[in-house]
Amino acid sequence: MKYCCIFLVSLFTTISFSQEIDSTLVQLEEKLTNTTSDTEKIKAMLTLGEYELDHNFSRAEYIITEAFNLSQKNKGAITDHYKALIQIQLGVLKRRKSEHAEAIKHYLNALVFFEKEKDTANIADVYHNIGTVHKFQKDFTASFSNYNKALKLNTAINNKEGIALVLLMKGSNYRALEKLDSAEIYYKKCKDIFVNITDSKGLQQVNNFLVRLYLKMNKVDEALQLNQSNIAIAKKNNEKLNLVTNYIKASDIYYKEKEYRIAGKYIDSALKLSKKEGFKDRIAFAYGKKSRLWYKLENYKSAYFSHRKYKSYSDSLYNIDNTKKIQELELKFKFQQEKREVQLLADNESAKKKIYLVLFIITLILSAIIAFLVKRDFKYKKRLLQLENKALLQEKERITKAFNQLQNSTNAEERIKAKQEILKLKILTDDDWLHFKEKFELLYPSFLNLLKDSNFQFTKSETRLLILKKLDLETKEIANMTGVSNDSVLKTQYRLRKKLSLDKNIDVIHFLEQST
């Protein structure tokens, strides 16, 4: 009954405000249509693009890209301020697409413009965005550093909204680091500010973060109530990214309650919308959650393949190369800043020491990132190995069944069917091969002894080839079963015949059996 009431409230809220959203979009589009100068057009495009970032990501990307193209065609007519605002929105686009190195590049470009103008509010916004990129890269040291810069600047100009958003993101960092008490303190400080300045959108953001925190603190009822409210608001405002995020959180709630099938429905909704909108980081999260759900439902095969997709998407987001690109961009920007300082200070020794210190700190940060990524990769491989072991047990059962069919065959037709079952097998690992050889030895107990007692001292690959040849397998069939190329099999056959001094027309198996 409780969940039914929540659903009805969500539905009513969505219907009540849909017309308000449409009217806002119409007003923004009309403003863009009625503009005459390029500067006013870019300003209108940025406003519309920012609105569409939460509602229609593909359209937002098109609008913001067009604004950038227009600024490039009329470089002299467009002020540095608007060029910087375009760079900010391009950075947001790239961050939402999880192209983190590109996002950092755009933010640093914007920072150059804003520092020339001494625009404190927007400089703070840039540091806030850079901190968020580092948060997604799980580099919390760099994330906190940039958030602290943003907080200091926003406090200096008494920017309440900016202060609240920084506190919110710092709380999110603490939650990720499992410092739940600190996270709750920062969330409450943030919420108090949004209440005082009557910012409903800001309050919704805090509620989104509180859902995950409550779940960590085992306050499931509070988490579910906030989550369903957030889903209703996200649908009402047509905020696609927010909706995906809350679908994932809903899945986490039902997973904790062991309602795995309901959790699966929410994660499927999140995955479908993420793929449509191109939210790569959310796609990675969704596949990770699906793998976990399949494992609980004892569908190990689906768990294995979902985990592989998760690892593929995750590695593309958090790989070392991507981190290096970000570090190189920041290093280049910092180096340029330091170079200007050195010129102004006329080769002052203290400036030189500062440069060396910055370079040393960056080296330490990079070393820490690499160490973290190596540790994370080890965890992923361990998880992947568990799933592969499940699959390996199933493959061993198939090998045993195929050889039993061949051994119990009483006529030619049955042996052909048994051989066809063997051809479906894959011998890709040493464990596969040992199991395969054990079953082969039951079928042909004297053959392996024949190979061992011969004077030819066969290599491991030659022994494997002879065993498969004994089963009357062709070159292509052997290559397919063992996961190697036809050329590799032919080379092994050539070396074997050369060792035995055999002509091409003589059957190797027949020769060995006759020679003993």
Side-chain angles (χ1 to χ4, degrees):
M1 183 66 184
K2 176 174 68 175
Y3 298 148
C4 181
C5 291
I6 292 173
F7 172 77
L8 290 173
V9 171
S10 302
L11 181 62
F12 175 79
T13 307
T14 303
I15 295 171
S16 301
F17 289 92
S18 59
Q19 290 182 337
E20 179 184 336
I21 300 165
D22 292 339
S23 63
T24 302
L25 180 60
V26 169
Q27 289 174 12
L28 292 173
E29 288 174 337
E30 286 179 351
K31 188 173 181 180
L32 176 59
T33 304
N34 296 330
T35 55
T36 54
S37 70
D38 288 340
T39 300
E40 287 300 312
K41 189 171 185 179
I42 286 176
K43 185 177 179 181
M45 292 171 81
L46 290 175
T47 305
L48 180 58
E50 185 176 5
Y51 174 86
E52 290 286 32
L53 277 169
D54 291 327
H55 302 87
N56 188 331
F57 185 82
S58 298
R59 190 160 184 259
E61 186 174 18
Y62 172 79
I63 293 167
I64 294 167
T65 303
E66 283 299 299
F68 173 75
N69 293 336
L70 182 59
S71 71
Q72 292 298 102
K73 290 178 183 178
N74 303 278
K75 290 183 178 180
I78 307 302
T79 64
D80 285 348
H81 181 77
Y82 282 106
K83 289 177 184 177
L85 291 176
I86 291 171
Q87 290 294 320
I88 286 288
Q89 288 208 10
L90 287 171
V92 174
L93 279 174
K94 295 299 182 181
R95 191 189 78 211
R96 293 277 181 91
K97 294 173 72 175
S98 298
E99 296 174 11
H100 295 149
E102 286 297 306
I104 288 288
K105 184 180 75 174
H106 289 300
Y107 291 145
L108 293 177
N109 288 341
L111 189 57
V112 172
F113 289 122
F114 289 138
E115 284 184 339
K116 286 180 181 177
E117 296 180 343
K118 297 182 179 179
D119 186 340
T120 304
N122 278 311
I123 292 172
D125 186 50
V126 172
Y127 282 125
H128 181 109
N129 280 298
I130 293 174
T132 302
V133 172
H134 283 296
K135 173 182 178 291
F136 284 121
Q137 285 291 120
K138 303 186 186 300
D139 184 358
F140 296 107
T141 302
S143 181
F144 274 120
S145 175
N146 283 282
Y147 284 149
N148 288 335
K149 290 177 184 178
L151 184 60
K152 184 177 180 180
L153 291 168
N154 281 318
T155 303
I157 60 175
N158 198 30
N159 180 2
K160 298 292 187 182
E161 182 183 7
I163 292 170
L165 289 172
V166 174
L167 293 174
L168 179 65
M169 299 312 293
K170 289 186 71 172
S172 177
N173 278 359
Y174 281 120
R175 181 196 56 76
L177 293 168
E178 299 295 328
K179 296 181 179 180
L180 305 185
D181 291 337
S182 297
E184 189 172 25
I185 290 169
Y186 276 88
Y187 288 160
K188 286 182 177 178
K189 286 181 179 179
C190 170
K191 194 166 188 176
D192 288 342
I193 294 173
F194 282 134
V195 169
N196 288 334
I197 63 176
T198 321
D199 187 337
S200 58
K201 187 175 181 180
L203 284 170
Q204 185 193 349
Q205 284 183 278
V206 181
N207 288 339
N208 282 339
F209 283 79
L210 281 170
V211 169
R212 188 167 293 177
L213 180 65
Y214 285 156
L215 199 56
K216 286 266 188 181
M217 300 172 78
N218 292 318
K219 298 179 179 179
V220 179
D221 288 339
E222 292 94 326
L224 180 62
Q225 185 177 358
L226 270 180
N227 172 253
Q228 293 301 312
S229 174
N230 292 341
I231 288 175
I233 294 171
K235 287 181 178 179
K236 172 199 75 174
N237 294 331
N238 195 28
E239 296 171 345
K240 304 291 179 59
L241 182 62
N242 193 11
L243 185 58
V244 167
T245 300
N246 278 287
Y247 279 151
I248 293 173
K249 290 174 183 175
S251 174
D252 288 338
I253 293 170
Y254 284 106
Y255 178 89
K256 193 173 185 70
E257 291 297 285
K258 297 183 180 180
E259 296 285 348
Y260 300 130
R261 299 201 178 277
I262 299 176
K265 290 180 181 179
Y266 274 106
I267 211 64
D268 285 339
S269 297
L271 187 58
K272 182 178 178 181
L273 187 55
S274 295
K275 286 182 176 180
K276 181 181 177 182
E277 296 297 322
F279 302 143
K280 292 182 182 178
D281 56 337
R282 299 308 192 273
I283 295 172
F285 293 156
Y287 274 124
K289 306 289 186 185
K290 278 181 73 71
S291 176
R292 183 180 65 170
L293 285 168
W294 284 127
Y295 191 86
K296 286 292 184 181
L297 293 169
E298 298 183 351
N299 188 336
Y300 301 117
K301 183 177 180 181
S302 295
Y304 171 70
F305 284 110
S306 291
H307 186 78
R308 288 193 65 172
K309 288 182 179 179
Y310 161 71
K311 191 174 187 303
S312 175
Y313 276 97
S314 182
D315 283 352
S316 70
L317 301 181
Y318 308 118
N319 62 63
I320 293 176
D321 288 340
N322 197 31
T323 304
K324 283 182 177 178
K325 287 179 183 177
I326 292 174
Q327 292 296 323
E328 286 169 2
L329 286 167
E330 291 190 315
L331 179 59
K332 182 179 179 181
F333 178 79
K334 289 179 180 180
F335 178 77
Q336 289 171 344
Q337 281 186 321
E338 297 295 336
K339 186 177 179 180
R340 288 194 294 269
E341 289 181 17
V342 170
Q343 290 173 344
L344 290 172
L345 295 171
D347 297 325
N348 186 287
E349 285 299 320
S350 63
K352 289 182 180 179
K353 290 179 181 179
K354 189 176 180 181
I355 291 173
Y356 296 141
L357 179 61
V358 169
L359 291 173
F360 176 71
I361 292 172
I362 289 172
T363 302
L364 289 178
I365 292 172
L366 185 58
S367 299
I369 289 171
I370 293 172
F372 169 77
L373 290 173
V374 169
K375 183 178 179 181
R376 183 181 60 84
D377 191 56
F378 172 77
K379 289 182 179 178
Y380 288 154
K381 286 179 178 177
K382 183 178 179 182
R383 173 66 177 150
L384 196 60
L385 182 61
Q386 290 174 346
L387 293 172
E388 285 175 345
N389 286 337
K390 294 284 185 182
L392 184 61
L393 288 173
Q394 295 175 351
E395 189 64 22
K396 282 185 177 180
E397 291 175 1
R398 289 185 62 214
I399 291 173
T400 302
K401 183 178 178 182
F403 270 101
N404 287 342
Q405 288 177 347
L406 186 60
Q407 191 171 16
N408 297 328
S409 301
T410 57
N411 56 55
E413 184 178 347
E414 288 180 357
R415 292 185 70 82
I416 290 171
K417 289 182 179 179
K419 181 183 174 184
Q420 288 173 344
E421 287 301 314
I422 289 176
L423 289 175
K424 294 178 183 178
L425 301 175
K426 298 290 183 185
I427 310 173
L428 303 178
T429 67
D430 288 340
D431 210 12
D432 290 341
W433 174 247
L434 287 173
H435 192 68
F436 186 93
K437 193 166 68 171
E438 287 174 7
K439 299 304 176 184
F440 174 86
E441 197 166 10
L442 292 174
L443 191 61
Y444 298 107
S446 61
F447 188 74
L448 286 176
N449 290 331
L450 182 151
L451 298 182
K452 291 176 184 177
D453 295 340
S454 69
N455 297 322
F456 296 107
Q457 295 182 346
F458 296 115
T459 65
K460 185 178 178 180
S461 60
E462 290 169 348
T463 302
R464 185 174 299 189
L465 176 64
L466 289 168
I467 288 174
L468 295 174
K469 279 289 186 182
K470 178 64 178 173
L471 293 172
D472 295 329
L473 301 184
E474 300 295 333
T475 299
K476 186 176 180 180
E477 294 169 338
I478 293 172
N480 184 51
M481 285 184 68
T482 57
V484 299
S485 65
N486 288 350
D487 286 344
S488 179
V489 177
L490 290 172
K491 286 177 182 178
T492 305
Q493 287 183 154
Y494 173 77
R495 288 194 299 269
L496 181 61
R497 286 185 176 277
K498 188 175 180 181
K499 178 184 284 189
L500 299 174
S501 302
L502 286 182
D503 188 82
K504 289 184 179 180
N505 298 323
I506 299 175
D507 182 73
V508 176
I509 302 301
H510 180 74
F511 170 78
L512 289 172
E513 291 177 337
Q514 292 298 316
S515 64
T516 57

